[in-house]
Amino acid sequence: MAPPNGMQPQMIVTIQPVGATFDPPARLTLPNVDGHAPGAQVEMYSFDHDLEEFVAIGLGFVSEDGTVVTSSTGVGVVKAGWHCGSQPGGSGTVHNCPTCQKCENDDCVDDPAQSEVVLAKQTEGDCKIGKCKGQENDDSDKPTEDKIVGDCSAPGCSGGNIDWALLADPTDIKEEDAKCKTCGGAEGKELITDKSKESLACGSSDPSEACYTCKDGNCGNQCEASSEKTTKTIEITDEDPLYQGLKIIQEKAPYVRLDVKGSFSLSEETGEKCCKDCTKGPDPKKYTQIGIKGAGSLDALFIVPGLGLVYELPEKSYGPLELGGGVEFGPGTKGKLELSAAGKSETSECDADDETCSELSLVGGGVTAIGIFAKIKGSVAVCSFFDEEDCDDVAAGEAEAASAFNFSANFTNKIFNGENCTKANCYSYQYGKAEFKSEVQYKVEVAGIYKFQYQNDISVTLGESGVGGTCGKN
């Protein structure tokens, strides 16, 4: 009564008395003591006392939780006797191949007849369906989550991909939006003004929102503030006498080259606004807003007096020809500094006794080089007899050499101010690695047709870069 094909199943059960028969076959369920995988197919056996050997009675399958093996519908015990299931991977079990495969010459191979069989294990919400032949698009699937909240839509499957706004969903609206808006539009997937709530109260139980009503889809204090505003502005540009004074310094000092650009503006705006806090009153209140905005750059070269020269040749005309050029050489320092500032301050009767802070931000940065510099340049242009400003370069050339240590850094400084302001001033900075660089370059251009340029440099990095400051820290 040994099991077939050398198998040694962990459990064999008996049904008595001998000779009893079952029609239809009695379905057989056994504990999965042999450790078959959940969903696996298992060959079931019964001992036939007439043949005096175990015979296959058909397939069973393992439950999803892996606890029991149950014979398939229409398969089971026909005659009383001993009964068991095959072992995992047991030799001679001709039907122990997994789904999508069949047994062929003692091996499990792909079974084309099962190509359309749907696999037991699927990934929910991926818009795909797994079959023996591979994955197929399944637009009937439903994504398990909505990653975009409050857009009046729900995700769906389209062409096997997740479309996060495929379906209209009137319930997908944020609580704040729902106060005065609703889902609508041509496809029902747009936030639109809920006209049924126009002029109705929309505030919470907080006294600060007691005067809030809906207007054009917005919830707030809808007081009738005047749209008239008074604005005063002061501007300073590079045409200002301050900038012109720097040019005069450069003309009088043959060891300095300064190129300054920038603008600065100061504005004041007054008008009326509605207070967000209803306890300050529902009527409009006056406000004053002051803004500061500016940006500028300084490109400079300084040569040690007595050891070099910075000179820009004045342009001279000889008939239709115009000549120009310049020369720079000697030990010194050169660099570029950029600065910007922005600030905004507002005071109003709405903000009385509240924490109000004006903020001024200063941002700057630049590069500096210390070493020996040399540069020479020249140009020849042909000008029109009818328009002296209409000139075209005929020939131009430039040669430059330098050996210097280079440094770069930038900074930010934020200043807060106000009678009840509790914000702390802060700063931050960043500096790059120092670099020693030696370079030489020259270029020549003739009538816009012939151009030649050469450049070569050697650099060595020194030190480390770093950052620091107090902005962004608690």
Side-chain angles (χ1 to χ4, degrees):
M1 197 178 66
N5 306 310
M7 292 191 305
Q8 294 183 343
Q10 301 298 307
M11 174 175 284
I12 298 177
V13 300
T14 182
I15 297 177
Q16 300 293 331
V18 175
T21 60
F22 302 90
D23 186 17
R27 201 164 190 181
L28 179 64
T29 297
L30 301 173
N32 184 23
V33 295
D34 290 307
H36 294 282
Q41 292 180 320
V42 180
E43 185 74 57
M44 310 292 284
Y45 290 90
S46 290
F47 185 77
D48 191 317
H49 286 273
D50 296 330
L51 299 176
E52 295 185 348
E53 65 179 14
F54 277 91
V55 295
I57 61 173
L59 290 176
F61 60 91
V62 181
S63 61
E64 290 186 2
D65 61 6
T67 58
V68 295
V69 179
T70 302
S71 61
S72 300
T73 302
V75 175
V77 177
V78 178
K79 296 181 181 180
W82 298 93
H83 312 279
C84 66
S86 62
Q87 290 177 282
S91 61
T93 54
V94 296
H95 293 290
N96 202 30
C97 290
T99 304
C100 304
Q101 292 187 330
K102 64 179 180 179
C103 186
E104 189 174 283
N105 297 327
D106 294 332
D107 291 318
C108 289
V109 298
D110 291 339
D111 184 4
Q114 300 185 58
S115 62
E116 294 294 331
V117 172
V118 177
L119 301 179
K121 187 175 182 180
Q122 301 284 336
T123 301
E124 185 179 2
D126 67 346
C127 299
K128 306 288 184 182
I129 183 170
K131 295 183 178 181
C132 287
K133 66 179 181 181
Q135 282 194 330
E136 289 184 351
N137 296 341
D138 182 13
D139 289 348
S140 66
D141 197 8
K142 294 183 179 180
T144 57
E145 60 176 332
D146 187 354
K147 290 186 177 181
I148 306 176
V149 179
D151 65 344
C152 294
S153 65
C157 294
S158 177
N161 297 308
I162 297 177
D163 184 337
W164 295 107
L166 179 66
L167 308 172
D169 182 3
T171 65
D172 185 26
I173 183 171
K174 295 180 180 178
E175 182 179 355
E176 185 64 26
D177 291 332
K179 290 180 179 180
C180 300
K181 295 183 176 73
T182 187
C183 293
E187 297 181 352
K189 296 187 289 185
E190 300 176 25
L191 272 176
I192 62 174
T193 298
D194 189 344
K195 294 183 179 180
S196 67
K197 297 179 180 178
E198 198 76 354
S199 300
L200 297 182
C202 59
S204 66
S205 58
D206 192 316
S208 65
E209 297 184 6
C211 62
Y212 281 19
T213 57
C214 290
K215 182 178 180 181
D216 299 329
N218 298 309
C219 180
N221 180 3
Q222 312 296 349
C223 73
E224 298 295 331
S226 173
S227 59
E228 294 183 3
K229 299 177 182 179
T230 303
T231 303
K232 300 176 183 179
T233 303
I234 300 175
E235 293 187 354
I236 300 176
T237 66
D238 51 14
E239 297 299 323
D240 190 85
L242 174 63
Y243 292 100
Q244 299 302 317
L246 294 174
K247 292 182 179 179
I248 295 174
I249 293 175
Q250 175 174 301
E251 294 173 356
K252 300 297 183 180
Y255 46 83
V256 176
R257 174 174 57 77
L258 300 173
D259 184 9
V260 181
K261 297 179 181 179
S263 64
F264 174 83
S265 66
L266 176 65
S267 63
E268 180 186 79
E269 178 183 288
T270 58
E272 289 185 344
K273 63 184 292 186
C274 300
C275 298
K276 292 183 179 180
D277 186 349
C278 298
T279 62
K280 303 295 176 65
D283 299 325
K285 307 293 183 182
K286 293 182 179 180
Y287 75 89
T288 300
Q289 187 180 91
I290 297 176
I292 299 174
K293 186 177 182 180
S297 65
L298 171 64
D299 196 341
L301 171 65
F302 173 78
I303 297 297
V304 178
L307 298 180
L309 178 67
V310 177
Y311 185 68
E312 190 76 18
L313 296 174
E315 294 182 350
K316 291 188 176 182
S317 298
Y318 299 91
L321 298 180
E322 184 177 272
L323 306 180
V327 61
E328 304 170 356
F329 71 90
T333 180
K334 66 185 299 186
K336 185 172 184 178
L337 175 65
E338 295 182 341
L339 292 172
S340 65
K344 189 175 182 180
S345 175
E346 181 177 310
T347 57
S348 78
E349 298 174 13
C350 292
D351 302 322
D353 302 324
D354 290 344
E355 179 181 353
T356 55
C357 297
S358 59
E359 178 180 347
L360 176 63
S361 295
L362 300 174
V363 179
V367 293
T368 302
I370 301 175
I372 300 176
F373 310 95
K375 181 178 181 180
I376 185 170
K377 61 180 181 179
S379 64
V380 179
V382 176
C383 301
S384 170
F385 284 104
F386 306 102
D387 186 356
E388 294 181 354
E389 301 297 327
D390 183 12
C391 301
D392 296 316
D393 286 337
V394 175
E398 182 178 305
E400 184 175 3
S403 292
F405 289 94
N406 297 272
F407 309 90
S408 64
N410 57 64
F411 71 90
T412 299
N413 189 33
K414 292 185 178 181
I415 302 172
F416 300 94
N417 192 24
E419 184 176 351
N420 300 307
C421 184
T422 59
K423 293 184 179 179
N425 299 341
C426 70
Y427 68 91
S428 63
Y429 63 84
Q430 179 179 355
Y431 58 87
K433 296 180 180 180
E435 179 186 47
F436 176 78
K437 189 173 185 179
S438 182
E439 60 181 336
V440 59
Q441 64 175 346
Y442 58 87
K443 55 184 177 182
V444 177
E445 182 175 345
V446 179
I449 300 175
Y450 176 76
K451 295 182 180 180
F452 179 79
Q453 182 171 341
Y454 171 81
Q455 180 175 352
N456 192 17
D457 60 73
I458 300 174
S459 62
V460 179
T461 301
L462 307 171
E464 297 293 335
S465 59
V467 296
T470 58
C471 289
K473 296 182 178 180
N474 295 328

